[in-house]
Amino acid sequence: MLSEPGSPAITGMIPLCVPEISGNEWTYLKDCLDTNWVSSAGSYVNRFEQQISDYIGIPHAIATVNGTAALHIALLIAGVQPDDEVLVPTLTFIAPVNAIRYTGAWPVFMDADPEYWQMDPEKVLRFLDEECRLSNGELVNKTSGRRVKAILPVHILGHPCDLAPILAAAKKYGLVVVEDASESLCASDQGNLVGSMGDVSCFSFNGNKLITTGGGGMVVTLNPKWAERARYLTTQAKDDPIEYFHGEIGFNYRLTNIQAAMGVAQTERLEEFISKKHSIAAAYTEAFVSMAGVTPMPVRPGAYPIHWLYTVLLEAGTTVEKRREFIQYLGSNGIQARPLWHPIHQLPPYIESQAYRIEQASDLYARAVSLPSSVGLSAKEQQLTIQTVSKALEII
Ligand SMILES: *Cc1c(COP(=O)(O)O)cnc(C)c1O
């Protein structure tokens, strides 16, 4: 049995991606327990929010119980209403898509670009230009008749999405941009950090992410009114702290001080973690560039990725079955590897949703394999992974 990403390693296995907990985590957690500040108020929550806000260079950061809750709140404060539509990539972890449905809005699935695997900006533009019309200042999807309200690009695998054309299109049509930067904290594009370019951005601190709080998330925005509303909605929409007066239906989505304490300790080591990820990626790329049957993870010119999960492509024409065999071979030889996410437009809850010209995502899904990428991955483990990949390519 394979462990879930972010959970402890199974003995004898090189895990896909496990947390690195060797800094001030114990000290800060003990401080929470010793002082009884264990719940969703406390100095570590404020410190963690400040750290992330400083890092991204955006003034407002609101900590949440997880990244999915952050996305739900981000869509709400951005004004996404029931029966609106939100453009989202089909090749992503499912959280942003579910968050769209939590608001009562509908996803419209966009393809991945074949070169860098992120949401394809050209197809987004083409969809907006050709498949939508402006009506009373609002953009309407000609097929569904629904209002298109937002674009939700996801920076997958630690690599920034090509956001500039998406931001320009959003401006042209009056759409909001909600960035899902969960997998790509500190990645940047042309010098702009992910999470600093959209109207509102979300991060996750799940166990498998670059830094972890066990479970946790963050909403980041420039807009002070939206930030205030995010705080309000995440604390049960409480208008009066004494009288239990609630102005609307809110959520219990705040991060606890205990979790934030861990986040503060982890954030202190962000630079160190990123430099480890870069050195792992460099070793992999150097080996795979000259290995037949496998393509190293691509980096778009101008992009600065953080290599959250180093992912390779098997050769063109590889079937899902072959890729599965490949991953099984690695697994039975002590290397935990994983495929990318099943394209979401083909999953039961979303099979009826509109999917616009999806031509690449299924191919990437069939061919992609994520390899061990933990911050703590030793040089020896990297070499063992490379050797086992090479053997697997010979055999399968
Ligand atoms: C991890 C992740 C999230 C958030 O997940 P949580 O487990 O709820 O923190 C959101 N989007 C993407 C793309 C992710 O990888």
Side-chain angles (χ1 to χ4, degrees):
M1 209 194 78
L2 295 181
S3 63
E4 275 299 296
S7 57
I10 292 167
T11 317
M13 263 314 235
I14 299 178
L16 186 75
C17 197
V18 288
E20 176 72 20
I21 303 169
S22 49
N24 286 322
E25 289 85 356
W26 273 115
T27 312
Y28 297 163
L29 281 170
K30 186 168 187 312
D31 185 33
C32 293
L33 304 187
D34 287 346
T35 57
N36 249 355
W37 284 98
V38 295
S39 200
S40 57
S43 62
Y44 286 106
V45 176
N46 302 337
R47 272 171 72 183
F48 187 38
E49 289 177 339
Q50 193 60 50
Q51 277 176 321
I52 297 296
S53 156
D54 288 347
Y55 216 99
I56 310 299
I58 296 289
H60 307 287
I62 300 94
T64 58
V65 281
N66 54 52
T68 312
L71 284 157
H72 183 194
I73 292 298
L75 290 162
L76 291 175
I77 63 178
V80 172
Q81 302 275 332
D83 271 338
D84 279 347
E85 288 184 346
V86 180
L87 275 47
V88 68
T90 189
L91 192 65
T92 170
F93 181 55
I94 201 167
V97 184
N98 285 342
I100 292 168
R101 287 300 294 130
Y102 299 164
T103 69
W106 300 92
V108 177
F109 292 105
M110 294 288 134
D111 204 5
D113 92 78
E115 268 188 294
Y116 305 108
W117 321 342
Q118 309 291 323
M119 181 160 80
D120 186 336
E122 270 175 47
K123 283 186 175 161
V124 170
L125 302 200
R126 193 137 44 106
F127 174 82
L128 296 172
D129 286 341
E130 294 175 6
E131 304 297 322
C132 301
R133 64 182 157 79
L134 278 166
S135 162
N136 301 322
E138 287 184 340
L139 198 68
V140 174
N141 179 343
K142 287 193 241 178
T143 306
S144 64
R146 295 186 188 120
R147 175 171 84 148
V148 179
K149 176 65 186 175
I151 310 176
L152 202 171
V154 184
H155 307 280
I156 62 167
L157 301 171
H159 190 288
C161 176
D162 184 8
L163 217 51
I166 292 171
L167 291 168
K171 197 166 178 196
K172 176 173 167 193
Y173 290 115
L175 307 177
V176 292
V177 174
V178 178
E179 281 181 74
D180 183 347
S182 300
E183 299 179 4
S184 302
L185 175 65
C186 297
S188 63
D189 191 20
Q190 325 286 337
N192 300 307
L193 280 170
V194 304
S196 72
M197 296 175 270
D199 296 288
V200 52
S201 305
C202 300
F203 294 92
S204 165
F205 310 109
N206 187 25
N208 62 357
K209 299 304 199 285
L210 180 64
I211 57 168
T212 184
T213 57
M218 196 80 76
V219 177
V220 171
T221 181
L222 264 176
N223 187 317
K225 288 216 175 69
W226 289 14
E228 196 184 322
R229 188 156 169 74
R231 270 182 211 289
Y232 179 68
L233 289 175
T234 52
T235 46
Q236 302 281 30
K238 183 164 58 184
D239 287 295
D240 185 300
I242 313 282
E243 296 284 344
Y244 295 109
F245 190 91
H246 303 268
E248 57 185 289
I249 298 171
F251 304 89
N252 180 11
Y253 275 178
R254 289 291 277 160
L255 192 72
T256 67
N257 204 45
I258 290 181
Q259 290 164 306
M262 192 165 163
V264 171
Q266 290 265 296
T267 307
E268 288 170 352
R269 305 188 58 200
L270 210 40
E271 303 285 350
E272 190 190 331
F273 285 7
I274 293 167
S275 101
K276 269 309 297 278
K277 292 276 199 190
H278 281 150
S279 95
I280 295 166
Y284 280 155
T285 297
E286 193 191 325
F288 296 138
V289 111
S290 55
M291 200 181 281
V294 74
T295 312
M297 188 156 188
V299 176
R300 184 164 42 80
Y304 174 85
I306 55 137
H307 299 291
W308 169 60
L309 275 189
Y310 191 95
T311 302
V312 293
L313 281 191
L314 301 179
E315 63 190 2
T318 302
T319 59
V320 169
E321 289 69 33
K322 272 276 167 212
R323 186 261 288 139
R324 214 169 268 151
E325 270 179 59
F326 183 86
I327 288 178
Q328 263 158 16
Y329 178 89
L330 294 182
S332 51
N333 286 277
I335 311 289
Q336 188 185 13
R338 271 174 82 111
L340 286 188
W341 318 274
H342 200 296
I344 296 172
H345 72 286
Q346 296 170 332
L347 298 181
Y350 295 107
I351 198 95
E352 307 280 341
S353 291
Q354 187 175 4
Y356 179 68
R357 294 187 185 220
I358 312 278
E359 293 146 339
Q360 304 294 339
S362 302
D363 178 58
L364 293 169
Y365 161 67
R367 293 166 60 200
V369 178
S370 299
L371 297 174
S373 303
S374 307
V375 163
L377 196 73
S378 67
K380 204 174 138 206
E381 290 170 319
Q382 292 162 36
Q383 287 316 312
L384 198 58
T385 302
I386 292 164
Q387 285 160 15
T388 314
V389 165
S390 169
K391 265 191 236 153
L393 288 169
E394 279 168 34
I395 290 164
I396 288 154

